[in-house]
Amino acid sequence: PRYRPDWDSLDARPLPAWFDQAKVGVFVHWGVFSVPAWGSEWFWWHWQGEHRSDYQRFVQRRYPPHTTYADFAPRFTAHDFHPREWAQLFQRAGARYVVLTTKHHEGFTNWGSPVSWNWNSLDTGPHRDLVGELGQALRESNIHYGLYHSLLEWFNPLYLADKESGFKTQNFVLKKTLPELYDLVLKYKPDLIWSDGDWEAPDSYWNSTSFLAWLYNDSPVKDTVVVNDRWCNNCSCHHGGYYNCADKYKPGTLPTHKWEMCSSIDKLSWGYRSDMNISELMDEASIIEELVQTVSFGGNYLLNVGPTKEGVIVPIFQERLLALGRWLDTNGEAIYESKPWRVQMENSTDMVWYTSKGPVVYAIFLIWPRDNVLELSSPTPSPATQVTMLGFAGTLKWQESPGKGLLITLPYMLPSPLPPQSGWTVKLEGVK
């Protein structure tokens, strides 16, 4: 059946299965904002939209008088951008999909957009097609490719005029937003479109439903493409494909709709900041905890890094991604292609989380119990119950708990001055 350009019809489209199976993705925020590399990727808005004094002082101190935001673009060089190295890093991190900013709210496009004259990565800055180069490298590594795209542009005169009219005119949408969306789909055939910048105007202004109907009916990716929920000012958590709801969203209970939690290693920014401090970054344990909670609640986990203006993913970000990848090498069986179980977490603690695959139940515990005995009250054991631990050979001894559930004797851990890694998985077969 063909989809109609209305939410009832579009929302009824089944989500392509690859997305729920993937579970883990990497988000990449990269653009002209990577040049000042200070504050956040909203640099231009804080500086010239809100006229914040700290941003004004920053520019005065570091750049020549009369510097404009456009002057940053030639310094966005991508000299050290090696897409195959990125793809290899993301693969080792355990990512099944990667989402790149093709255009943030600043309007600069990371490909040669035909409607962004001189404000794109082919005409200025890198003089390279960043979107195309990364896409090719990811496809060679068998990683799904997602494109982030902002509907609005803070300072585009066409957008400002439409806004002035109360969004009664649509010059910006017809001359800029839609041509770019169609161009991205036809040129790069993305697996995912991560829309943003939706919050100021209704779907009737953005023509979102017509675009999505074309995407689902007639585009070259109509059967495989996945989209999020940021397509108009009241779409989030209501319409679109899967739901983001809000940045760093944590539902607290099992949602009925497929969702994704986007998070950033740098807790204060999505774009790269040259002045970030180690205390402002997520450590390995908190990344794994967020991943486990998200997947237990049926979500996907999209973890962000911001490369430098040269295209370097700094070593501390690489280290965090590789730590996640090592954890997934051992515990990925409980994550990829999993489904939420009847219980998401042990009722007494948020340190034990469950996932499942068919009859198999996985209990992921984030703190190693002091006496080496893991108590699980939610699963009901049977005489056929078998318990193993991912990454550990052999079966584990267990007994029925006096209350309900089971007590599992874990392998003996050698005493170590370092706190052990975070998160282990016991695999339960023959439980209800």
Side-chain angles (χ1 to χ4, degrees):
R2 284 180 69 80
Y3 295 95
R4 299 184 311 276
D6 61 64
W7 290 121
D8 283 348
S9 177
L10 297 168
D11 290 346
R13 176 183 182 254
L15 197 70
W18 74 262
F19 183 73
D20 179 51
Q21 290 163 3
K23 302 298 183 201
V24 185
V26 169
F27 211 173
V28 182
H29 275 70
W30 199 27
V32 173
F33 50 79
S34 311
V35 172
W38 192 83
S40 83
E41 69 291 348
W42 279 56
F43 185 95
W44 195 7
W45 179 254
H46 295 321
W47 173 34
Q48 310 237 286
E50 297 175 328
H51 304 291
R52 274 176 52 173
S53 57
D54 49 344
Y55 283 78
Q56 290 174 331
R57 274 196 309 275
F58 173 87
V59 177
Q60 276 159 9
R61 279 209 302 267
R62 300 211 188 180
Y63 294 95
H66 313 300
T67 294
T68 67
Y69 193 75
D71 294 332
F72 293 143
R75 298 169 184 241
F76 176 43
T77 63
H79 281 322
D80 300 311
F81 170 50
H82 303 296
R84 282 196 170 123
E85 287 177 18
W86 281 24
Q88 195 180 14
L89 171 67
F90 299 152
Q91 193 169 39
R92 288 176 66 195
R96 297 284 170 92
Y97 64 108
V98 170
V99 180
L100 172 71
T101 46
T102 65
K103 181 188 86 169
H104 202 257
H105 317 316
E106 62 185 20
F108 185 91
T109 69
N110 282 331
W111 85 103
S113 160
V115 290
S116 193
W117 181 80
N118 217 27
W119 193 233
N120 68 72
S121 66
L122 273 189
D123 291 345
T124 185
H127 298 289
R128 291 168 70 176
D129 175 5
L130 306 177
V131 175
E133 287 186 41
L134 183 60
Q136 191 182 339
L138 291 172
R139 296 239 151 90
E140 287 168 10
S141 298
N142 221 5
I143 298 172
H144 288 279
Y145 194 25
L147 303 181
Y148 166 105
H149 172 271
S150 171
L151 297 170
L152 68 77
E153 294 174 21
W154 291 313
F155 299 111
N156 189 305
L158 294 174
Y159 181 67
L160 295 174
D162 285 352
K163 192 166 159 178
E164 189 70 19
S165 80
F167 297 112
K168 301 283 185 288
T169 60
Q170 277 181 298
N171 285 317
F172 174 71
V173 174
L174 300 176
K175 290 178 180 163
K176 191 74 167 61
T177 299
L178 286 176
E180 283 183 342
L181 275 169
Y182 285 108
D183 191 53
L184 284 170
V185 172
L186 295 170
K187 228 178 232 154
Y188 304 111
K189 303 180 180 49
D191 300 304
L192 189 157
I193 298 177
W194 212 102
S195 184
D196 196 15
D198 54 322
W199 57 84
E200 292 188 338
D203 54 8
S204 54
Y205 171 71
W206 295 121
N207 284 7
S208 317
T209 52
S210 324
F211 170 73
L212 291 173
W214 169 79
L215 190 67
Y216 295 169
N217 290 327
D218 301 308
S219 81
V221 289
K222 60 184 194 317
D223 301 320
T224 48
V225 74
V226 169
V227 305
N228 66 344
D229 57 351
R230 300 186 183 185
W231 294 97
C232 62
N233 59 3
N234 55 2
C235 278
S236 274
C237 245
H238 296 107
H239 298 302
Y242 67 86
Y243 293 168
N244 284 119
C245 299
D247 291 350
K248 307 188 184 183
Y249 175 69
K250 293 185 179 174
T253 54
L254 181 66
T256 54
H257 194 92
K258 181 64 195 180
W259 65 287
E260 174 191 70
M261 194 265 204
C262 60
S263 191
S264 187
I265 294 178
D266 179 354
K267 294 185 267 194
L268 302 186
S269 178
W270 300 84
Y272 174 70
R273 295 183 304 134
S274 62
D275 61 334
M276 65 184 174
N277 193 302
I278 193 94
S279 64
E280 297 161 341
L281 306 184
M282 289 179 74
D283 60 14
E284 178 185 348
S286 36
I287 289 170
I288 288 162
E289 186 174 341
E290 266 189 358
L291 164 74
V292 169
Q293 293 179 4
T294 299
V295 173
S296 292
F297 284 134
N300 277 19
Y301 187 56
L302 184 64
L303 183 63
N304 176 76
V305 293
T308 68
K309 64 184 189 288
E310 294 85 10
V312 173
I313 295 169
V314 290
I316 191 70
F317 288 166
Q318 296 187 38
E319 193 270 338
R320 295 292 189 265
L321 290 175
L322 293 171
L324 171 62
R326 279 193 301 276
W327 188 86
L328 284 164
D329 284 342
T330 302
N331 298 280
E333 182 188 327
I335 300 291
Y336 302 119
E337 282 106 34
S338 68
K339 296 279 181 209
W341 192 45
R342 62 175 173 81
V343 178
Q344 280 71 63
M345 57 194 258
E346 263 315 331
N347 48 18
S348 56
T349 165
D350 62 355
M351 285 298 148
V352 181
W353 295 81
Y354 291 100
T355 62
S356 69
K357 274 185 195 172
V360 179
V361 177
Y362 299 95
I364 305 169
F365 55 105
L366 300 171
I367 289 182
W368 191 273
R370 284 224 173 111
D371 53 3
N372 271 15
V373 176
L374 179 66
E375 185 175 355
L376 301 176
S377 57
S378 302
T380 309
S382 70
T385 295
Q386 201 180 19
V387 182
T388 50
M389 184 165 152
L390 298 187
F392 180 80
T395 56
L396 301 185
K397 292 200 175 93
W398 66 272
Q399 59 190 79
E400 285 199 46
S401 177
K404 56 172 193 164
L406 60 171
L407 298 169
I408 299 163
T409 305
L410 297 171
Y412 179 69
M413 294 280 275
L414 287 172
S416 158
L418 298 169
Q421 65 161 79
S422 178
W424 304 262
T425 307
V426 290
K427 178 177 179 177
L428 309 169
E429 297 171 89
V431 298
K432 286 202 168 75

PDB file of all heavy atoms in Angstrom, residues 214-228:
ATOM      1  N   TRP A 214       6.958  10.575   0.170  1.00  0.00           N
ATOM      2  CA  TRP A 214       7.853  10.284  -0.968  1.00  0.00           C
ATOM      3  C   TRP A 214       8.951   9.305  -0.536  1.00  0.00           C
ATOM      4  O   TRP A 214       9.279   8.345  -1.243  1.00  0.00           O
ATOM      5  CB  TRP A 214       8.498  11.584  -1.480  1.00  0.00           C
ATOM      6  CG  TRP A 214       9.612  11.320  -2.456  1.00  0.00           C
ATOM      7  CD1 TRP A 214       9.474  11.007  -3.785  1.00  0.00           C
ATOM      8  CD2 TRP A 214      11.024  11.289  -2.177  1.00  0.00           C
ATOM      9  NE1 TRP A 214      10.724  10.789  -4.354  1.00  0.00           N
ATOM     10  CE2 TRP A 214      11.694  10.957  -3.391  1.00  0.00           C
ATOM     11  CE3 TRP A 214      11.786  11.512  -1.032  1.00  0.00           C
ATOM     12  CZ2 TRP A 214      13.079  10.844  -3.480  1.00  0.00           C
ATOM     13  CZ3 TRP A 214      13.173  11.398  -1.114  1.00  0.00           C
ATOM     14  CH2 TRP A 214      13.813  11.071  -2.323  1.00  0.00           C
ATOM     15  N   LEU A 215       9.518   9.548   0.657  1.00  0.00           N
ATOM     16  CA  LEU A 215      10.603   8.710   1.159  1.00  0.00           C
ATOM     17  C   LEU A 215      10.159   7.249   1.276  1.00  0.00           C
ATOM     18  O   LEU A 215      10.883   6.324   0.885  1.00  0.00           O
ATOM     19  CB  LEU A 215      11.043   9.234   2.535  1.00  0.00           C
ATOM     20  CG  LEU A 215      12.318   8.663   3.139  1.00  0.00           C
ATOM     21  CD1 LEU A 215      13.546   9.076   2.329  1.00  0.00           C
ATOM     22  CD2 LEU A 215      12.476   9.104   4.599  1.00  0.00           C
ATOM     23  N   TYR A 216       8.952   7.040   1.798  1.00  0.00           N
ATOM     24  CA  TYR A 216       8.444   5.678   2.028  1.00  0.00           C
ATOM     25  C   TYR A 216       7.873   5.030   0.763  1.00  0.00           C
ATOM     26  O   TYR A 216       7.812   3.808   0.673  1.00  0.00           O
ATOM     27  CB  TYR A 216       7.337   5.698   3.086  1.00  0.00           C
ATOM     28  CG  TYR A 216       7.766   6.110   4.485  1.00  0.00           C
ATOM     29  CD1 TYR A 216       6.796   6.378   5.455  1.00  0.00           C
ATOM     30  CD2 TYR A 216       9.100   6.233   4.838  1.00  0.00           C
ATOM     31  CE1 TYR A 216       7.158   6.760   6.744  1.00  0.00           C
ATOM     32  CE2 TYR A 216       9.469   6.618   6.121  1.00  0.00           C
ATOM     33  CZ  TYR A 216       8.497   6.880   7.076  1.00  0.00           C
ATOM     34  OH  TYR A 216       8.848   7.254   8.351  1.00  0.00           O
ATOM     35  N   ASN A 217       7.406   5.847  -0.192  1.00  0.00           N
ATOM     36  CA  ASN A 217       6.740   5.298  -1.387  1.00  0.00           C
ATOM     37  C   ASN A 217       7.662   5.159  -2.592  1.00  0.00           C
ATOM     38  O   ASN A 217       7.609   4.158  -3.299  1.00  0.00           O
ATOM     39  CB  ASN A 217       5.569   6.195  -1.811  1.00  0.00           C
ATOM     40  CG  ASN A 217       4.400   6.150  -0.836  1.00  0.00           C
ATOM     41  OD1 ASN A 217       4.145   5.116  -0.228  1.00  0.00           O
ATOM     42  ND2 ASN A 217       3.705   7.266  -0.686  1.00  0.00           N
ATOM     43  N   ASP A 218       8.464   6.183  -2.858  1.00  0.00           N
ATOM     44  CA  ASP A 218       9.132   6.285  -4.152  1.00  0.00           C
ATOM     45  C   ASP A 218      10.639   6.457  -4.099  1.00  0.00           C
ATOM     46  O   ASP A 218      11.297   6.425  -5.128  1.00  0.00           O
ATOM     47  CB  ASP A 218       8.541   7.476  -4.939  1.00  0.00           C
ATOM     48  CG  ASP A 218       7.038   7.303  -5.158  1.00  0.00           C
ATOM     49  OD1 ASP A 218       6.645   6.241  -5.661  1.00  0.00           O
ATOM     50  OD2 ASP A 218       6.273   8.221  -4.798  1.00  0.00           O
ATOM     51  N   SER A 219      11.216   6.679  -2.912  1.00  0.00           N
ATOM     52  CA  SER A 219      12.657   6.956  -2.858  1.00  0.00           C
ATOM     53  C   SER A 219      13.446   5.663  -3.051  1.00  0.00           C
ATOM     54  O   SER A 219      12.906   4.567  -2.877  1.00  0.00           O
ATOM     55  CB  SER A 219      13.023   7.580  -1.508  1.00  0.00           C
ATOM     56  OG  SER A 219      13.158   6.563  -0.527  1.00  0.00           O
ATOM     57  N   PRO A 220      14.743   5.771  -3.376  1.00  0.00           N
ATOM     58  CA  PRO A 220      15.551   4.560  -3.551  1.00  0.00           C
ATOM     59  C   PRO A 220      15.768   3.773  -2.259  1.00  0.00           C
ATOM     60  O   PRO A 220      16.263   2.648  -2.304  1.00  0.00           O
ATOM     61  CB  PRO A 220      16.900   5.096  -4.092  1.00  0.00           C
ATOM     62  CG  PRO A 220      16.916   6.550  -3.806  1.00  0.00           C
ATOM     63  CD  PRO A 220      15.494   7.004  -3.724  1.00  0.00           C
ATOM     64  N   VAL A 221      15.404   4.362  -1.107  1.00  0.00           N
ATOM     65  CA  VAL A 221      15.603   3.646   0.163  1.00  0.00           C
ATOM     66  C   VAL A 221      14.260   3.363   0.847  1.00  0.00           C
ATOM     67  O   VAL A 221      14.198   3.177   2.057  1.00  0.00           O
ATOM     68  CB  VAL A 221      16.527   4.450   1.104  1.00  0.00           C
ATOM     69  CG1 VAL A 221      17.959   4.428   0.594  1.00  0.00           C
ATOM     70  CG2 VAL A 221      16.059   5.900   1.236  1.00  0.00           C
ATOM     71  N   LYS A 222      13.184   3.302   0.057  1.00  0.00           N
ATOM     72  CA  LYS A 222      11.834   3.270   0.638  1.00  0.00           C
ATOM     73  C   LYS A 222      11.587   2.081   1.577  1.00  0.00           C
ATOM     74  O   LYS A 222      10.822   2.194   2.525  1.00  0.00           O
ATOM     75  CB  LYS A 222      10.772   3.293  -0.460  1.00  0.00           C
ATOM     76  CG  LYS A 222      10.826   2.127  -1.441  1.00  0.00           C
ATOM     77  CD  LYS A 222       9.776   2.360  -2.531  1.00  0.00           C
ATOM     78  CE  LYS A 222       9.456   1.171  -3.388  1.00  0.00           C
ATOM     79  NZ  LYS A 222      10.561   0.359  -3.846  1.00  0.00           N
ATOM     80  N   ASP A 223      12.273   0.962   1.342  1.00  0.00           N
ATOM     81  CA  ASP A 223      12.023  -0.223   2.173  1.00  0.00           C
ATOM     82  C   ASP A 223      12.953  -0.341   3.371  1.00  0.00           C
ATOM     83  O   ASP A 223      12.690  -1.106   4.291  1.00  0.00           O
ATOM     84  CB  ASP A 223      12.156  -1.501   1.327  1.00  0.00           C
ATOM     85  CG  ASP A 223      11.177  -1.493   0.162  1.00  0.00           C
ATOM     86  OD1 ASP A 223      10.028  -1.056   0.365  1.00  0.00           O
ATOM     87  OD2 ASP A 223      11.572  -1.898  -0.949  1.00  0.00           O
ATOM     88  N   THR A 224      14.072   0.403   3.350  1.00  0.00           N
ATOM     89  CA  THR A 224      15.086   0.202   4.386  1.00  0.00           C
ATOM     90  C   THR A 224      15.272   1.407   5.285  1.00  0.00           C
ATOM     91  O   THR A 224      15.803   1.286   6.383  1.00  0.00           O
ATOM     92  CB  THR A 224      16.451  -0.091   3.728  1.00  0.00           C
ATOM     93  OG1 THR A 224      16.667   0.899   2.701  1.00  0.00           O
ATOM     94  CG2 THR A 224      16.479  -1.465   3.098  1.00  0.00           C
ATOM     95  N   VAL A 225      14.845   2.602   4.842  1.00  0.00           N
ATOM     96  CA  VAL A 225      15.183   3.823   5.579  1.00  0.00           C
ATOM     97  C   VAL A 225      14.387   3.922   6.878  1.00  0.00           C
ATOM     98  O   VAL A 225      13.227   3.512   6.959  1.00  0.00           O
ATOM     99  CB  VAL A 225      14.978   5.080   4.704  1.00  0.00           C
ATOM    100  CG1 VAL A 225      13.489   5.406   4.532  1.00  0.00           C
ATOM    101  CG2 VAL A 225      15.723   6.285   5.282  1.00  0.00           C
ATOM    102  N   VAL A 226      15.071   4.450   7.892  1.00  0.00           N
ATOM    103  CA  VAL A 226      14.478   4.669   9.208  1.00  0.00           C
ATOM    104  C   VAL A 226      14.571   6.164   9.494  1.00  0.00           C
ATOM    105  O   VAL A 226      15.561   6.803   9.138  1.00  0.00           O
ATOM    106  CB  VAL A 226      15.283   3.869  10.259  1.00  0.00           C
ATOM    107  CG1 VAL A 226      14.898   4.265  11.674  1.00  0.00           C
ATOM    108  CG2 VAL A 226      15.084   2.377  10.042  1.00  0.00           C
ATOM    109  N   VAL A 227      13.536   6.737  10.116  1.00  0.00           N
ATOM    110  CA  VAL A 227      13.600   8.154  10.504  1.00  0.00           C
ATOM    111  C   VAL A 227      13.225   8.289  11.978  1.00  0.00           C
ATOM    112  O   VAL A 227      12.586   7.410  12.554  1.00  0.00           O
ATOM    113  CB  VAL A 227      12.666   9.050   9.643  1.00  0.00           C
ATOM    114  CG1 VAL A 227      12.960   8.877   8.159  1.00  0.00           C
ATOM    115  CG2 VAL A 227      11.200   8.783   9.942  1.00  0.00           C
ATOM    116  N   ASN A 228      13.618   9.437  12.564  1.00  0.00           N
ATOM    117  CA  ASN A 228      13.271   9.711  13.962  1.00  0.00           C
ATOM    118  C   ASN A 228      11.980  10.531  14.030  1.00  0.00           C
ATOM    119  O   ASN A 228      11.165  10.493  13.094  1.00  0.00           O
ATOM    120  CB  ASN A 228      14.452  10.400  14.669  1.00  0.00           C
ATOM    121  CG  ASN A 228      14.728  11.785  14.100  1.00  0.00           C
ATOM    122  OD1 ASN A 228      14.257  12.140  13.011  1.00  0.00           O
ATOM    123  ND2 ASN A 228      15.491  12.583  14.823  1.00  0.00           N
TER     124      ASN A 228
END
